[in-house]
Amino acid sequence: ASVVQRLWRGRVSAGMLTPRLQRAMKDYLNANKHHVAYKGHRRPAQSAKELLCQLKAQARLRTVDGSEQPFSALGWAHLVPPVPLEQLHRQKDQSGFKTCAVVTSAGAILHSGLGKEIDTHDAVLRFNAAPTEGYEKDVGNKTTIRIINSQILANPKHRFNTSSLYKNVTLVAWDPAPYAVNLHKWFASPDYNLFGPYVERRKRHPAQPFYVLHPSYVWQLWDVIQGNTQETIQPNPPSSGFIGILLMMVLCEQVHVYEYIPSMRQTDLCHYHERYYDAACTLGAYHPLLYEKSLIQRINTGPESDLKRKGRVTLPGFTQMYT
Ligand code: C5P
């Protein structure tokens, strides 16, 4: 069976990857750039229900709120949005969105015709610089939340201040701190400097909801992936895709994820909006993508036909679970 067919069944191993991707993985393991030292147990055989409960309990959404140094001394408590992200989209009756779509940027979504279906959701999450203009038939045109990595803020080529991609949406930015989550070290040397542009944007557009994920949240998600995987995974943060899925499980009653687990349209085309081909975008080199995807497939409640035809996974929101 191909790697993708194995993903549809949630059974994967690095041994299925091409030698080139296996070597890239090994290099990242040896480099251990973020000084990961995993201390937890491994329980690779948990049931879907156990896995969901663990995710709900351990992956508590957390954003930088300005209560800790060095951010408190810099006045971030008054800089960050007054309403916490998890409450932003809650109505008076305390319920969040009913149904949500997470739209990955995978090339496989091209020619899917999923745009209409995606736009019927109450909220749509997109990633980084993924456009809708010109691709509406396949990806829809509604955007409620955009998750952006620190490169989007730091690299001038993305025109973060002027591009319409980042306007009229809720923004959630992230950058990997060292695994031990020393905020002073993180502030002094982030992967890409997002702090200056964040502060500037908050001052210029105080009404736009814009959050920075707490690095402890990112690494807690990583811990859950490693804790549920037999193999040693890449010591690098999960992909924006995985982070976005877990975020929407907090905000929504039901989450549909598109082209994260590849459909039968699976392709080496990295993004639907760029002519760049690399299987690493789908199967991972830097990010532990293969393992993230396997974990999501294990909690998928939708039928295999949805996966094959739509690349669609169905997940329950955390509020819908009884613990
Ligand atoms: O590349 P970028 O991180 O902007 O893409 C957004 C997310 O979409 C990724 O983090 C990954 O989870 C998902 N993706 C994928 N397969 C691809 C491209 C992106 O699963 N070929």
Side-chain angles (χ1 to χ4, degrees):
S2 70
V3 186
V4 170
Q5 285 167 328
R6 303 254 190 146
L7 261 177
W8 291 344
R9 272 136 215 176
R11 301 184 56 89
V12 294
S13 146
M16 302 168 180
L17 299 171
T18 60
R20 178 181 73 91
L21 288 186
Q22 290 191 40
R23 224 173 303 120
M25 239 189 102
K26 225 179 246 158
D27 290 345
Y28 285 117
L29 272 163
N30 292 331
N32 194 9
K33 178 176 177 195
H34 307 286
H35 310 289
V36 171
Y38 181 67
K39 299 266 162 54
H41 293 287
R42 292 193 198 178
R43 284 169 296 177
Q46 287 200 106
S47 69
K49 202 175 162 199
E50 290 168 325
L51 198 41
L52 272 169
C53 288
Q54 191 196 355
L55 279 168
K56 180 177 179 173
Q58 206 169 314
R60 287 285 163 102
L61 178 59
R62 190 167 173 206
T63 59
V64 175
D65 63 5
S67 67
E68 300 161 286
Q69 295 292 9
F71 300 100
S72 40
L74 295 164
W76 276 47
H78 302 284
L79 182 77
V80 302
V83 182
L85 176 55
E86 54 278 31
Q87 277 163 38
L88 181 69
H89 297 286
R90 295 241 185 284
Q91 313 300 330
K92 290 150 246 102
D93 63 357
Q94 283 299 297
S95 71
F97 298 117
K98 284 216 153 50
T99 77
C100 297
V102 174
V103 184
T104 73
S105 311
I109 207 162
L110 269 187
H111 312 300
S112 67
L114 285 165
K116 271 209 183 104
E117 173 177 327
I118 287 168
D119 282 343
T120 61
H121 292 83
D122 302 319
V124 178
L125 177 79
R126 300 185 193 274
F127 297 97
N128 296 317
T132 53
E133 206 184 322
Y135 301 94
E136 293 87 348
K137 263 192 95 168
D138 296 328
V139 307
N141 67 10
K142 178 178 190 166
T143 306
T144 316
I145 306 179
R146 203 174 266 281
I147 295 206
I148 52 180
N149 60 41
S150 46
Q151 295 174 56
I152 299 286
L153 292 100
N155 189 334
K157 87 166 181 194
H158 290 296
R159 299 185 302 111
F160 178 62
N161 282 327
T162 50
S163 167
S164 61
L165 286 174
Y166 312 109
K167 291 183 178 145
N168 304 315
V169 296
T170 294
L171 292 175
V172 179
W174 72 279
D175 178 88
Y179 182 75
V181 191
N182 177 327
L183 297 181
H184 291 278
K185 279 195 184 154
W186 182 45
F187 188 75
S189 61
D191 251 16
Y192 295 88
N193 202 333
L194 72 166
F195 301 114
Y198 177 75
V199 171
E200 194 187 320
R201 179 77 160 219
R202 285 297 304 146
K203 289 186 173 157
R204 255 205 251 178
H205 303 283
Q208 178 175 39
F210 185 8
Y211 303 85
V212 177
L213 289 178
H214 199 291
S216 71
Y217 177 64
V218 173
W219 287 116
Q220 263 160 21
L221 296 183
W222 185 92
D223 283 349
V224 177
I225 302 166
Q226 179 59 87
N228 285 281
T229 305
Q230 189 97 54
E231 297 178 2
T232 299
I233 73 173
Q234 291 95 320
N236 297 321
S239 73
S240 297
F242 187 79
I243 295 169
I245 292 166
L246 272 291
L247 168 64
M248 291 314 249
M249 288 174 79
V250 172
L251 303 180
C252 313
E253 290 179 12
Q254 186 182 56
V255 181
H256 282 139
V257 186
Y258 293 92
E259 287 295 358
Y260 180 65
I261 316 267
S263 68
M264 62 196 184
R265 286 180 301 275
Q266 178 242 348
T267 163
D268 283 353
L269 181 65
C270 182
H271 292 134
Y272 65 82
H273 53 94
E274 274 176 341
R275 281 214 307 241
Y276 170 68
Y277 292 80
D278 187 348
C281 299
T282 305
L283 301 176
Y286 176 78
H287 296 295
L289 267 173
L290 194 60
Y291 304 108
E292 301 172 7
K293 292 184 181 196
S294 170
L295 192 141
I296 292 298
Q297 168 52 15
R298 284 166 58 193
I299 54 174
N300 177 21
T301 61
E304 191 174 275
S305 56
D306 273 7
L307 270 184
K308 292 183 176 169
R309 285 175 36 233
K310 303 181 174 178
R312 185 175 96 161
V313 160
T314 305
L315 303 170
F318 290 134
T319 57
Q320 302 305 296
M321 297 165 37
Y322 300 94
T323 44

